[in-house]
Amino acid sequence: MKPENDEVVVIPARGLGSPDIRGQIQELRALSLGGRTDRPIYHLHVDPEDAIADNAGARARWWALFEAEFGLASQPYCGVEHFKKDRRHEHRVYSLVRPDGRVVDLAHDFARREKVSRIVEFEFGAPAVRSKHARAIEKALRADGRDDVADWLQASGKLEAERPVARATPQERLIEERTGIPLDDLRAAALAAWRDSADGAGFLEALRARGLDLREGRSGPVVVDGTGTAHLATRLIGAAARRQDGARIPAAAVKKRLAGLTLTAHGDGHDGRQAGRDPHRDPGRQAAPGSAGGGIGARGDAGGAEHAGGAPGAHDGGGRHGGRGVGDALDRLVARPAAVRLRARLRMLPPGRNAALAEALDSMRARRWIAVPGVTDIWGLPIQGERPRLG
C-alpha cells in the first residue's frame, strides 16, 4: 500500500471477510494459529515479462498453475495489484495452514515456481530464460506430461547454458552491509594471496600481508577480515576465480593446499573489536608484514587484521575472552563479599529508602562469610552464611 506505486488496487480476497488489506492479513494470521509452523503465510508476486502482451491473462494463468502445483486452490488469500514504472504486477499472500492444521508442503518451491513460469512463457510466446534449475525443470515437465514445454525449453538451448551464479548469497549481502567491506575487494585480495603462494603456509603469509587472516571454521578454513568476520575460504577463492577467469578453483584444490596447516579456531581470542591491538600480547601471533596500514576492512588507526587474543582469564580490555566472558563475570560476583553484593543491590532502591539498612550493612562488614555448600540463589550464585565463631 506504499505511495511509491503509481496505482494500487486491492484484489478480491478469498475466504476472508475483512474489507481492507490490513484486516485481511490479520485474518490470515489468526487462521494460522492452529498450524505447527513458524511461517504460516506465503507472500509472492507475479511480474510478467514485457514480451507478453496479455499481462492480465498471463497473471491469471500463472496463479492457476501455481495453486495446482502447491495444492492451494482452496486456501484463503489476499493481495494487491501494483502499477509502477509502466509495469503491472500482482502480490498475493496465502495461508499455508489447512483447516485440519496440516501445513502446505513448499519443498523445492523455487524450482517448482520456475516450472510454472516456463509453462506461462511457452503458452504466451515469451522467450525462455536461463535458470540454474533448468535441467530439473525439464525433467519435471516430462513427468507432468508437458513434453511440449520440455521440448521448447530444450530447443532454446537453456539446458546447456552455463548456470548463472549469484554475485552473493543473501547472507553474504547482509554481512557486506554490516561490515561495510565490498565482497569483490575481499575476493580479489584472497585470490591474489592464493596465486602468490604455493602451499598453505605461503597462503597464510600472503593473507596476513594483505591485512587478512586464516582460521578454522565450522565448515573448514575461513578467511577473516579486519572486522573479525569469517568467510569460507573455498567459496571465497572459488567465486573470485569464477568471476575473474570464468573457471572456478575447485573446493577440493583449496582444501588440499590447506590440509597441512594447524589453524586456530575462529573465535578463540579473535574478535573484530580487538583490531589494531598490540600483537605482542599474544605470544602465538606475529605482526603480519605490511599490515601496519589498514587492511581489508580494518578499523582503527593501527589497522591491520592482527587481533591480540590475550591469555585466557586475563583482562585485555575487550573481546570474548580475557576475563570478559559470562563465566568470568559470575566468578567475580561469587568472589565478592556478601556486604558488597548487598550494597550493590541497595543502589537500585530510590534515594532515602535504604537509610534504615545502613546500620545493618555496617555490622555485616565486620563479619566473615562462607559459601553454604550446595545452596544457591535464583541466579545460581552460592548463598553465603556467617562463619561460626569458635571458643
Side-chain angles (χ1 to χ4, degrees), residues 154-177:
Q154 187 174 33
S156 70
K158 302 303 181 182
L159 297 182
E160 290 74 28
E162 186 177 4
R163 291 178 58 176
V165 177
R167 173 189 169 275
T169 65
Q171 182 180 9
E172 287 172 336
R173 287 195 292 270
L174 291 174
I175 292 174
E176 191 174 36
E177 293 174 4

Side-chain angles (χ1 to χ4, degrees), residues 25 33 55 62 70 92 119 128 172 207 264 273 304 316 339 352 373 382:
I25 294 290
L33 294 178
N55 181 288
W62 197 96
F70 290 90
R92 287 191 186 182
I119 296 174
E172 287 172 336
L207 283 175
T264 303
R273 291 170 292 179
D316 68 348

Side-chain angles (χ1 to χ4, degrees), residues 108-172:
H108 309 293
D109 63 325
F110 286 165
R112 293 165 70 187
R113 284 191 280 117
E114 286 199 18
K115 182 186 73 170
V116 170
S117 297
R118 297 299 88 81
I119 296 174
V120 173
E121 290 162 359
F122 169 75
E123 293 179 350
F124 284 79
V129 298
R130 288 199 310 169
S131 167
K132 68 177 183 179
H133 303 296
R135 293 181 178 83
I137 291 172
E138 185 258 352
K139 183 178 179 180
L141 286 168
R142 297 195 185 281
D144 293 344
R146 293 304 304 264
D147 290 328
D148 53 345
V149 185
D151 292 341
W152 164 79
L153 187 60
Q154 187 174 33
S156 70
K158 302 303 181 182
L159 297 182
E160 290 74 28
E162 186 177 4
R163 291 178 58 176
V165 177
R167 173 189 169 275
T169 65
Q171 182 180 9
E172 287 172 336

Side-chain angles (χ1 to χ4, degrees), residues 3-54:
E4 64 186 29
N5 298 286
D6 299 329
E7 181 184 355
V8 178
V9 178
V10 178
I11 65 175
R14 182 172 68 197
L16 303 172
S18 299
D20 61 90
I21 189 67
R22 291 180 177 84
Q24 292 165 3
I25 294 290
Q26 292 299 322
E27 279 192 68
L28 287 179
R29 295 177 62 183
L31 289 171
S32 69
L33 294 178
R36 292 177 292 181
T37 177
D38 58 352
R39 295 183 179 182
I41 60 177
Y42 192 42
H43 166 245
L44 65 162
H45 78 280
V46 174
D47 187 1
E49 294 285 339
D50 289 336
I52 297 178
D54 186 3

Side-chain angles (χ1 to χ4, degrees), residues 22-375:
R22 291 180 177 84
Q24 292 165 3
I25 294 290
Q26 292 299 322
E27 279 192 68
L28 287 179
R29 295 177 62 183
L31 289 171
S32 69
L33 294 178
R36 292 177 292 181
T37 177
D38 58 352
R39 295 183 179 182
I41 60 177
Y42 192 42
H43 166 245
L44 65 162
H45 78 280
V46 174
D47 187 1
E49 294 285 339
D50 289 336
I52 297 178
D54 186 3
N55 181 288
R59 283 188 282 120
R61 177 59 172 159
W62 197 96
W63 290 119
L65 292 170
F66 165 75
E67 291 188 351
E69 174 68 28
F70 290 90
L72 291 166
S74 60
Q75 289 297 105
Y77 74 80
C78 60
V80 295
E81 182 182 302
H82 284 165
F83 184 71
K84 180 179 179 181
K85 297 181 180 179
D86 298 327
R87 294 177 63 90
R88 192 171 295 275
H89 63 273
E90 184 177 338
H91 293 257
R92 287 191 186 182
V93 181
Y94 282 83
S95 170
L96 296 180
V97 180
R98 301 193 187 281
D100 60 1
R102 292 182 298 118
V103 181
V104 174
D105 183 9
L106 294 180
H108 309 293
D109 63 325
F110 286 165
R112 293 165 70 187
R113 284 191 280 117
E114 286 199 18
K115 182 186 73 170
V116 170
S117 297
R118 297 299 88 81
I119 296 174
V120 173
E121 290 162 359
F122 169 75
E123 293 179 350
F124 284 79
V129 298
R130 288 199 310 169
S131 167
K132 68 177 183 179
H133 303 296
R135 293 181 178 83
I137 291 172
E138 185 258 352
K139 183 178 179 180
L141 286 168
R142 297 195 185 281
D144 293 344
R146 293 304 304 264
D147 290 328
D148 53 345
V149 185
D151 292 341
W152 164 79
L153 187 60
Q154 187 174 33
S156 70
K158 302 303 181 182
L159 297 182
E160 290 74 28
E162 186 177 4
R163 291 178 58 176
V165 177
R167 173 189 169 275
T169 65
Q171 182 180 9
E172 287 172 336
R173 287 195 292 270
L174 291 174
I175 292 174
E176 191 174 36
E177 293 174 4
R178 175 175 58 81
T179 62
I181 303 173
L183 182 59
D184 290 338
D185 292 351
L186 186 62
R187 286 173 173 169
L191 183 60
W194 174 267
R195 289 176 172 166
D196 287 349
S197 60
D199 54 21
F203 179 58
L204 176 57
E205 183 178 354
L207 283 175
R208 289 180 174 175
R210 291 167 171 81
L212 303 172
D213 199 3
L214 192 66
R215 295 274 173 141
E216 186 64 40
R218 288 179 296 178
S219 301
V222 293
V223 175
V224 182
D225 62 33
T227 69
T229 303
H231 308 263
L232 191 61
T234 52
R235 178 173 176 81
L236 197 67
I237 296 171
R242 176 72 175 270
R243 292 181 66 83
Q244 190 173 113
D245 304 330
R248 190 182 191 93
I249 295 176
V254 178
K255 292 178 180 179
K256 182 178 180 180
R257 180 182 293 192
L258 305 182
L261 288 177
T262 301
L263 301 173
T264 303
H266 180 250
D268 288 353
H270 190 92
D271 192 289
R273 291 170 292 179
Q274 300 172 1
R277 298 190 184 276
D278 184 1
H280 297 292
R281 297 183 65 172
D282 185 349
R285 293 288 305 276
Q286 298 295 326
S291 64
I296 299 294
R299 294 177 179 173
D301 296 330
E306 297 300 325
H307 304 266
H315 174 69
D316 68 348
R320 285 171 284 186
H321 298 272
R324 288 297 186 115
V326 175
D328 299 307
L330 289 175
D331 290 341
R332 290 195 297 273
L333 281 174
V334 172
R336 300 173 73 185
V340 177
R341 301 219 310 267
L342 180 57
R343 178 176 289 277
R345 294 182 183 182
L346 290 178
R347 290 195 188 115
M348 295 186 292
L349 294 175
R353 293 288 301 278
N354 59 356
L357 300 173
E359 184 178 351
L361 181 58
D362 290 337
S363 66
M364 292 173 60
R365 292 174 183 162
R367 300 179 182 180
R368 303 179 65 185
W369 298 85
I370 60 173
V372 179
V375 182

